[in-house]
Amino acid sequence: MSPRATRYAGILFIGDPHVCASPPGFRLDDYGRAVMEKLRFCLETARQRECLPIILGDLFHVPRDNPNGLLVSLMELFRDEVPWVLVGNHDKHEARLTRDVSLAVLAAAGVVRLLEDAGPVEVVCVAQRRVLIGAAPDWTRLPDRVERNGVDCVIWVTHLDLRFPGYEAGKTDLREIPGIDLVVNGHIHTPKPLQVRGGTMWANPGSIVRISRSVQARDTRPAVVIWRPGAEGLETVPVPHAPFHEVFPPLDEGYEESRETVDESMFIRGLENLAIRKTSEGVGLRSFLEMNLNREDPVDRLVYELYEEIMTDG
C-alpha cells in the first residue's frame, strides 16, 4: 500500500468489525479469518478511492486478552492507512478505556487514530473542502449545536443508541443539530435507511459482520458507506461475505423475529459506569435513575420506590 493520504476524495465509514479470534455466538466458520478479510477489503477500498477510513466503534469483540498474533495482524494491516477508530462499548473493560485493552495497544503502536473523547476532532481536506469531523464515543452525548467557524461541512461519528425508525431500543431521538450536516452511527448492527431532520442527515450503515443468529442477520447484506462532498446521500459498497447458511446453523422452524435490541442494555451499562464512580451518599445513582426511569411505568416506579426506601432506611 502507498503511504496514507493527507488529502482525501471522500470518507469511508466501517461499522463495528468485532474482531475476535474465536467465533462469537453461533458462528460456524473461521470467524477470525473472515473478519480480517473484511477489514482488508475495506482498507483496500479506502486506498483505491482515496478515502479516509473511519471505524465506527467496537473494533474488538472483547476488550482484553486477544491473542498477540491477532494484534500483530491488525498492526500490519493498519500500519499504512492508519484508520480512525471510534471507541465502542466492546472496546472498553468495565466501561473504561484502560491501558491494558487491545485498542489501547494499537493506539500506542501508532497504527490507529483513536477517537476517545466527545467533541470536535480535526478539520480535514476532502475534495478541496474543509470538513470538520467530530466524535461521540460510547456513553457520551451529542452536542446541542456546533460552531462551524468557516468550514464547508461538519460530520459527527457516533457509537450511540439512536432511535432510528424501526429500532425500538433507541434512547436518543434523531433531530436537527445546528451546525452538523451528517451524523454516522455505529453500535446498531442492522443497516437503517438515511433519515433527515432539518439540516442534519443521519446514517447507520450497520456492522460489516453478522454476530447473531437471527432473521435480521439472515437478511442483512454487510456494507460500508462512502461520503463525498456534493453527492446526494451516501454510496453503499457491499462487503464480500459468505451466505447465511454457511455461517450459522439453520433457523429453527417457526422461528419468529424478535424485536431488535442492542447487545447490551444501556441501563445496565449505565450502572456499570456508576459502579466505577459511586458515591457513599448514592447521589450519582439517584441522578441516574431520575434520568432513565419513567415514573409512569409501573416497573420503573417500583425500582425508584425501592431506591428511596433503601436510602431512607440507611
Side-chain angles (χ1 to χ4, degrees):
M1 289 186 179
S2 60
R4 68 183 186 276
T6 54
R7 296 173 181 267
Y8 306 96
I11 302 175
L12 184 143
F13 300 98
I14 304 167
D16 300 40
H18 285 271
V19 174
C20 186
S22 303
F26 289 93
R27 297 243 350 181
L28 302 174
D29 60 337
D30 184 349
Y31 178 80
R33 178 188 58 79
V35 69
M36 291 298 292
E37 288 181 354
K38 291 176 188 292
L39 279 172
R40 187 170 291 106
F41 170 84
C42 294
L43 293 182
E44 181 62 20
T45 301
R47 186 191 67 81
Q48 291 177 354
R49 304 196 184 194
E50 299 182 331
C51 290
L52 167 64
I54 299 181
I55 296 174
L56 299 169
D58 287 352
L59 172 58
F60 289 97
H61 189 60
V62 294
R64 303 192 306 178
D65 301 323
N66 288 291
N68 289 340
L70 179 63
L71 298 183
V72 170
S73 295
L74 286 170
M75 291 177 187
E76 293 172 343
L77 179 62
F78 290 165
R79 183 174 293 125
D80 291 326
E81 296 302 316
V82 187
W84 293 21
V85 180
L86 188 65
V87 175
N89 52 297
H90 278 259
D91 298 315
K92 299 190 292 186
H93 176 64
E94 294 182 348
R96 293 178 294 177
L97 188 73
T98 52
R99 288 177 56 85
D100 59 347
V101 299
S102 296
L103 186 55
V105 173
L106 296 187
V111 297
V112 299
R113 167 78 180 272
L114 198 59
L115 308 182
E116 58 179 317
D117 297 316
V121 177
E122 185 177 327
V123 176
V124 297
C125 182
V126 181
Q128 300 182 336
R129 307 285 183 87
R130 298 178 70 244
V131 180
L132 170 62
I133 298 177
D138 173 62
W139 205 250
T140 64
R141 294 180 180 274
L142 283 160
D144 293 325
R145 64 181 302 113
V146 172
E147 298 299 328
R148 299 177 71 93
N149 295 323
V151 300
D152 299 300
C153 185
V154 176
I155 297 175
W156 231 252
V157 291
T158 64
H159 193 88
L160 304 173
D161 267 330
L162 302 180
R163 192 173 288 124
F164 279 85
Y167 181 65
E168 299 178 9
K171 301 297 183 184
T172 301
D173 288 326
L174 309 186
R175 66 187 190 280
E176 179 177 18
I177 302 179
I180 295 183
D181 300 292
L182 172 65
V183 177
V184 186
N185 188 53
H187 190 53
I188 303 172
H189 287 191
T190 306
K192 300 299 178 187
L194 289 175
Q195 302 293 315
V196 177
R197 301 291 186 272
T200 305
M201 178 182 292
W202 298 77
N204 190 95
S207 173
I208 62 169
V209 296
R210 293 159 295 173
I211 298 294
S212 62
R213 175 174 166 264
S214 65
V215 172
Q216 290 99 340
R218 184 195 64 191
D219 296 340
T220 294
R221 303 294 180 265
V224 296
V225 296
I226 295 175
W227 173 85
R228 291 187 178 88
E232 290 189 12
L234 303 174
E235 177 188 357
T236 298
V237 180
V239 175
H241 58 280
F244 182 85
H245 69 270
E246 294 181 7
V247 177
F248 293 99
L251 293 176
D252 299 332
E253 185 176 352
Y255 179 91
E256 294 185 3
E257 181 176 2
S258 60
R259 185 182 70 177
E260 183 182 358
T261 58
V262 293
D263 56 345
E264 280 188 274
S265 163
M266 286 288 287
F267 187 82
I268 297 301
R269 286 163 51 207
L271 291 177
E272 289 178 351
N273 278 273
L274 278 175
I276 296 166
R277 299 187 294 271
K278 59 188 176 184
T279 62
S280 59
E281 298 83 7
V283 174
L285 178 58
R286 182 174 65 243
S287 299
F288 175 80
L289 294 178
E290 289 174 347
M291 289 177 59
N292 289 275
L293 295 184
N294 176 11
R295 299 290 188 92
E296 302 301 319
D297 183 275
V299 176
D300 285 7
R301 186 167 60 248
L302 177 59
V303 171
Y304 197 85
E305 289 173 355
L306 288 172
Y307 160 79
E308 290 184 321
E309 179 180 339
I310 292 170
M311 296 308 296
T312 301
D313 291 345

